[in-house]
Amino acid sequence: MKAETKICQNCKKDFVIESDDFGFYKKMGVPVPTFCPDCRFQRRLLFRNNRVFYKRECAFCKKVVLSLYNKDRPFIVYCHDCWFSDKWDVMSYGRDYDFSIPFFRQFQLLQKAVPRANLYQTNFVSSEYCNYGLDFKECYLLFGGHNNERVYFGNQVFDSRDSFDIAFSATNELSYEIFEGKSLNKVVYSSYSKDCIDSHYLIFCKNCINCFGCIGLVNKQYYIWNIPHSKASYEKFIKENQGSYTRHLENLRKLQELKLELPHRYARVYQSVNSDGDDIRRCRNTHMAFTSSDAENSKHLFFCVRGANECYDNSFQGTGSELLYEIAHGFGGSRSIVGVGNFSNQDSQYNEECHDCLNIFGCEGLRKKQYCILNKQYSKEEYEKILPKIIVHMKSTREYGEFFPSNLSPFSYNETIAQEYFPLNKEDALKQGFLWQDSEARNYKIDIENQDIPDNIQDVTENIVSKVIACGHEGKCKHQCTEAFKIVSEEFKFYKKMNLPLPRLCPNCRHYQRINLRNPLKLWERVCMCEKENHFHGQEKCVVEFKTSYASDRPEIVYCEKCYQQEIY
């Protein structure tokens, strides 16, 4: 079939369904999407609350616990131990499918009836204020990841130790303010760098030691602003440029200036064939993919790692997935259509929080079940007889193939990560039909105004711990600002040890600053900007075309892969 241009039924903008896409939709048995890729992505993100906690009583054991769900939302919440116990029967909530009302309405009623776990925590030790993770020890405000110890204020962090304020990173130690870093030790204020030691303010650096304010360096030592120095000169410079927040701001300014002077690789696409996106590795025939790896014949992916084969519209999905469509945060699975928070299901459709199930439809909270519809058990023959009738009914109501509508999300817009990637204010959110959670009046008694925070960490004593400090954004941003924050004891010790100035923003606002370092999750068609005669294109300007996350009106110099390699390495 030929490519077709459609009008998004949500934002009313045009979007294109490519000829190759029709084969996938036919294989999955779903109609072509009615929402554009951005609106589909936004809708999936509405179902994930990473970092907004509430205190709530477990409806089973009555213990007060932290929960993702506001007490005013119509959901039954159990603590983690009760939810995973055998003390209750999830099948007792089963009901018959009603062909007289739309499916989404029936599923919403099931959502409100079936208990849900307060948080997503597996093998957490002294890490109460964390969520979406496995094997956390002594962590604080860490959201997403695996095998971390003493990591504070992080998001999607793996195999890391003794680090603060890091996101989408792995195997880091004694590092601070890191975005998309890997195998870093004693590295601070850096992004997109790997295998570096004892360095500051790095971007796109690899295997560097003792470097400061550098971009695109490989296998270097004692460099400052991309210029080589002697060991003595470098050490003198470092002593004069640590500890002060004023100097930190000046360093950020210089780093930005240097960033605009040097060429940038058009995209971070590594070991991949016929694939496009940014920050992808070992992909084949995969398009519009971001921060994903080991995918094949897939499209519209975000943070899908460790394998995705023939998957479309997946976000926060991991570990060996196949033939998945419109899936939001889960692990594994195959031959599944529309789901939220599912683990390793097969032949499943329209389920939430179901684990290790086979042939289930419209279910909530099932574990190791088979042939169920709306949490009701059927025989194989009964299931296979009624399911086609349900699909016909859903097609008649124009529900089939569509992701869960926003009113089925258990969260308000500004509680979810949709706010991180598609930020809205209250007025715009309500205008678009989303829920909004107003902050409770905090009435903090501020101990230290933002402008009164000491400039140098050497002037800060331990009595700063637990003082209420005003956030520099004062709650006026779209960053889930808490308006004030405290420096906890381990955090203070870390700043002293690493000679780092105190932060000026609350943890939420710092998190938003980090993720905003990422280019837009979009692609533009551009031509290489290189005009250097000593490159492979000779005296003529390079004419290599590519898809890049750098929009054409961006100020950066953007090179194709070949020109970038000749210039940088």
Side-chain angles (χ1 to χ4, degrees):
M1 297 183 68
K2 294 182 179 179
E4 291 185 11
T5 299
K6 302 283 187 179
I7 299 176
C8 176
Q9 297 305 296
N10 186 54
C11 68
K12 309 305 179 185
K13 295 179 182 178
D14 289 350
F15 69 101
V16 176
I17 298 176
E18 302 291 349
S19 57
D20 293 343
D21 300 339
F22 289 100
F24 174 81
Y25 300 132
K26 183 177 180 180
K27 180 181 287 189
M28 299 299 292
V30 296
V32 298
T34 61
F35 277 32
C36 69
D38 276 355
C39 289
R40 299 198 301 268
F41 182 42
Q42 181 187 34
R43 188 167 54 178
R44 291 194 302 275
L45 297 181
L46 275 169
F47 285 75
R48 184 177 175 112
N49 170 11
N50 266 7
R51 55 197 307 115
V52 181
F53 289 157
Y54 301 96
K55 285 197 173 179
R56 183 164 175 165
E57 186 179 83
C58 170
F60 193 94
C61 71
K62 307 306 179 183
K63 178 174 65 175
V64 176
V65 294
L66 288 177
S67 169
L68 294 174
Y69 306 99
N70 189 297
K71 59 182 175 57
D72 296 329
R73 300 290 284 143
F75 300 106
I76 299 169
V77 176
Y78 285 179
C79 69
H80 183 274
D81 290 343
C82 287
W83 196 84
F84 280 96
S85 73
D86 295 326
K87 299 174 183 177
W88 63 288
D89 182 12
V90 70
M91 300 299 289
S92 66
Y93 300 91
R95 70 273 317 272
D96 292 327
Y97 190 91
D98 188 343
F99 288 91
S100 67
I101 61 176
F103 163 73
F104 286 142
R105 175 58 181 154
Q106 297 179 66
F107 189 77
Q108 186 177 47
L109 294 173
L110 184 67
Q111 282 183 306
K112 293 177 181 178
V114 178
R116 50 186 64 219
N118 64 316
L119 294 173
Y120 299 86
Q121 298 179 335
T122 303
N123 193 27
F124 278 29
V125 177
S126 302
S127 303
E128 180 183 9
Y129 287 87
C130 300
N131 192 28
Y132 286 112
L134 170 66
D135 299 331
F136 286 6
K137 182 178 180 181
E138 298 175 12
C139 295
Y140 180 66
L141 295 183
L142 174 59
F143 306 100
H146 171 229
N147 187 30
N148 298 298
E149 293 187 26
R150 296 175 299 280
V151 174
Y152 284 43
F153 316 120
N155 185 58
Q156 298 300 340
V157 180
F158 301 84
D159 306 307
S160 295
R161 305 286 180 271
D162 300 300
S163 296
F164 289 67
D165 289 279
I166 62 179
F168 293 92
S169 298
T171 56
N172 296 325
E173 188 169 352
L174 288 170
S175 294
Y176 175 68
E177 277 295 355
I178 303 297
F179 182 72
E180 291 208 17
K182 185 175 182 181
S183 300
L184 306 178
N185 190 303
K186 295 185 180 178
V187 175
V188 300
Y189 304 117
S190 299
S191 57
Y192 306 113
S193 298
K194 63 181 295 187
D195 302 316
C196 296
I197 298 174
D198 209 359
S199 296
H200 314 248
Y201 304 98
L202 304 182
I203 303 177
F204 300 124
C205 289
K206 180 180 178 181
N207 197 29
C208 292
I209 303 174
N210 305 118
C211 289
F212 186 104
C214 295
I215 299 176
L217 296 190
V218 179
N219 302 328
K220 302 297 184 185
Q221 186 174 16
Y222 301 129
Y223 271 65
I224 301 172
W225 309 120
N226 279 40
I227 299 172
H229 285 65
S230 66
K231 181 177 183 290
S233 173
Y234 179 87
E235 291 177 347
K236 180 177 183 295
F237 176 87
I238 291 298
K239 285 183 180 179
E240 296 171 351
N241 281 273
Q242 283 189 303
S244 165
Y245 188 75
T246 301
R247 288 202 186 100
H248 164 63
L249 294 180
E250 178 65 15
N251 292 332
L252 289 179
R253 185 189 66 78
K254 288 183 178 181
L255 190 67
Q256 182 62 26
E257 290 178 353
L258 182 62
K259 183 180 175 182
L260 298 180
E261 295 173 5
L262 299 175
H264 294 251
R265 176 191 268 118
Y266 79 103
R268 291 170 297 136
V269 177
Y270 309 111
Q271 299 172 284
S272 298
V273 178
N274 187 33
S275 299
D276 56 58
D278 198 28
D279 188 25
I280 62 175
R281 290 166 173 79
R282 300 177 298 279
C283 292
R284 179 182 292 272
N285 302 326
T286 294
H287 304 284
M288 293 297 295
F290 301 88
T291 313
S292 298
S293 63
D294 304 291
E296 186 170 356
N297 302 322
S298 298
K299 195 169 186 179
H300 303 305
L301 306 180
F302 177 67
F303 204 73
C304 294
V305 295
R306 300 177 186 174
N309 184 20
E310 292 193 271
C311 295
Y312 273 46
D313 290 280
N314 284 206
S315 50
F316 292 96
Q317 178 73 14
T319 315
S321 307
E322 184 175 11
L323 286 170
L324 303 184
Y325 177 56
E326 282 275 31
I327 302 296
H329 61 273
F331 286 90
S334 62
R335 302 181 301 279
S336 297
I337 298 169
V338 180
V340 174
N342 297 304
F343 285 37
S344 303
N345 297 329
Q346 298 180 43
D347 296 295
S348 65
Q349 302 182 53
Y350 289 95
N351 304 294
E352 184 178 26
E353 307 297 347
C354 293
H355 301 180
D356 303 299
C357 295
L358 175 64
N359 291 304
I360 60 172
F361 187 99
C363 292
E364 179 76 37
L366 300 191
R367 283 165 280 166
K368 298 183 179 179
K369 299 296 182 182
Q370 188 173 5
Y371 301 120
C372 299
I373 299 172
L374 293 177
N375 284 36
K376 180 178 178 179
Q377 184 69 62
Y378 291 84
S379 68
K380 180 178 184 295
E381 294 75 17
E382 291 171 329
Y383 182 88
E384 292 177 347
K385 183 178 179 180
I386 191 175
L387 182 58
K389 296 178 181 179
I390 292 173
I391 293 174
V392 170
H393 174 248
M394 288 183 66
K395 287 181 177 178
S396 73
T397 58
R398 298 184 179 180
E399 296 173 299
Y400 193 68
E402 294 291 339
F403 192 76
F404 296 120
S406 61
N407 66 311
L408 266 64
S409 169
F411 311 112
S412 298
Y413 191 91
N414 57 325
E415 293 174 322
T416 72
I417 56 176
Q419 181 69 0
E420 297 179 10
Y421 296 94
F422 299 90
L424 298 174
N425 57 33
K426 179 180 179 179
E427 181 182 0
D428 290 336
L430 295 177
K431 189 182 297 182
Q432 294 181 39
F434 301 124
L435 295 176
W436 188 268
Q437 181 63 48
D438 289 321
S439 300
E440 296 180 3
R442 294 187 169 98
N443 299 319
Y444 292 122
K445 182 182 180 300
I446 301 297
D447 296 311
I448 302 175
E449 294 295 343
N450 198 266
Q451 66 271 18
D452 295 331
I453 300 173
D455 178 71
N456 200 301
I457 188 64
Q458 300 305 321
D459 299 326
V460 181
T461 61
E462 195 168 2
N463 66 10
I464 192 76
V465 171
S466 297
K467 296 283 187 181
V468 179
I469 303 172
C471 176
H473 286 175
E474 301 177 332
K476 298 175 182 178
C477 60
K478 298 177 183 178
H479 300 165
Q480 299 170 316
C481 180
T482 58
E483 300 178 23
F485 64 100
K486 294 180 179 180
I487 303 296
V488 297
S489 178
E490 292 302 314
E491 184 183 6
F492 171 74
K493 293 174 185 175
F494 182 83
Y495 295 145
K496 277 289 191 178
K497 179 179 181 178
M498 300 291 289
N499 200 10
L500 299 168
L502 294 179
R504 267 52 180 175
L505 301 177
C506 70
N508 281 358
C509 291
R510 302 201 302 264
H511 165 68
Y512 273 77
Q513 282 198 329
R514 281 190 295 279
I515 64 171
N516 285 338
L517 295 173
R518 188 196 304 277
N519 279 5
L521 304 178
K522 298 174 182 281
L523 296 178
W524 287 266
E525 293 188 359
R526 293 186 60 177
V527 178
C528 180
M529 299 173 67
C530 181
E531 298 181 354
K532 297 200 172 184
E533 295 181 2
N534 62 331
H535 285 186
F536 75 98
H537 48 81
Q539 295 184 353
E540 301 295 328
K541 180 184 181 299
C542 184
V543 295
V544 172
E545 297 179 352
F546 45 68
K547 292 182 179 180
T548 177
S549 58
Y550 291 96
S552 56
D553 59 352
R554 291 274 295 261
E556 292 92 347
I557 302 167
V558 183
Y559 279 9
C560 69
E561 181 70 19
K562 205 165 184 179
C563 288
Y564 182 82
Q565 296 286 356
Q566 287 186 260
E567 182 71 10
I568 297 297
Y569 292 107

